[in-house]
Amino acid sequence: AFPDATGKVEHPLGMRLWILSDVRADLDPAFSLPDPLPDFDALLVAGGICTGLEASLGWLAAALGGRQGRRPVVMVPGNLEYWSEIPLVEALAKGRRRAVELGIHLLSDETVRLKGPDGRGVHVVGATLWTDWALPGTGRASWARAQARHCWTDAKGIDTDGGRPWGPHDASGAHARSRAFIEDVLASVVV
C-alpha cells in the first residue's frame, strides 16, 4: 500500500494482518515480541508457539501484555500445541476455555469474522490441517501411513482420549474432517 496525495495510506484489502508462526518461544526464554508492536489490525497465530496449548495461549497473552488493545488475536493450534500429557480432545477443550479467558479467538474447525478499520469484514477459517498422507498420491497413502507409524516425530507426545498415542490414521481422519469443514465454509460464501 502506498500513500495517496494527502499522505493517507489506503490498504487494498482494508485490513493489515500480522502473522506469527513457529516461534518456539519455549526453546528461547529471551524471545519476545517487538516493542512497539508492528502496525496491524488483527494478529493471526498459526501454531508452533510452545509445547502445549495452554502454555502457548499463556505465552501469547503475556508477550502481548495487552498492547494489542482492542485488535483481535486469532490462534490456530499446530501439532506442537498438542504435545502434552493431556489427550488432544481434552487439551483442545481446556484451550478453548483458556482462550476465552484471555480474549483470544482459538480456531479448530471454526471461523471468526473480523471487522476491519473500514468496516468491511474478513472471515478467518482455522483448522489444524493434519496430513492425509496422500502427497505421493492417494494410492500410496496407506504406504505413507505405514511408514509414519515408525518414524513420524510430529505426533510425539500427542495422545488420544483413550490414552493411545496419536497415529497416522488419527491424523488422516482429522484431515478429512477439517478439509470437509473448510470446503463447506468456502462453498457457503456468497459473492
Side-chain angles (χ1 to χ4, degrees), residues 2-191:
F2 298 98
D4 64 14
T6 66
K8 181 179 176 188
V9 176
E10 189 66 35
H11 298 282
L13 297 178
M15 189 168 237
R16 297 164 301 163
L17 302 175
W18 179 25
I19 300 171
L20 286 179
S21 175
D22 299 297
V23 298
R24 290 304 312 262
D26 55 339
L27 298 180
D28 182 3
F31 180 81
S32 62
L33 297 179
D35 191 13
L37 296 175
D39 285 339
F40 67 97
D41 297 312
L43 170 58
L44 303 181
V45 182
I49 303 303
C50 295
T51 300
L53 184 51
E54 288 186 272
S56 291
L57 291 163
W59 180 88
L60 184 58
L64 287 168
R67 296 180 292 154
Q68 78 278 11
R70 298 180 64 148
R71 295 175 288 189
V73 176
V74 178
M75 181 177 181
V76 178
N79 64 299
L80 179 65
E81 276 70 30
Y82 294 115
W83 292 359
S84 71
E85 302 290 319
I86 303 169
L88 186 141
V89 172
E90 186 181 336
L92 182 57
K94 286 183 173 190
R96 283 185 169 136
R97 289 190 295 272
R98 184 70 176 131
V100 169
E101 292 170 6
L102 297 172
I104 297 172
H105 300 280
L106 181 64
L107 303 182
S108 179
D109 295 347
E110 296 168 288
T111 64
V112 65
R113 182 181 185 276
L114 306 177
K115 188 174 179 182
D118 62 357
R120 292 185 292 176
V122 172
H123 291 268
V124 179
V125 182
T128 304
L129 195 56
W130 298 93
T131 183
D132 65 355
W133 305 101
L135 186 60
T138 54
R140 306 231 349 153
S142 60
W143 174 85
R145 283 192 304 274
Q147 295 302 311
R149 261 189 236 324
H150 306 291
C151 58
W152 184 32
T153 59
D154 281 353
K156 71 177 182 184
I158 302 174
D159 288 330
T160 64
D161 50 353
R164 177 181 48 76
W166 177 263
H169 60 287
D170 296 302
S172 188
H175 174 90
R177 285 186 300 279
S178 293
R179 184 172 170 160
F181 172 78
I182 293 167
E183 289 173 352
D184 290 350
V185 168
L186 295 177
S188 69
V189 173
V190 178
V191 270

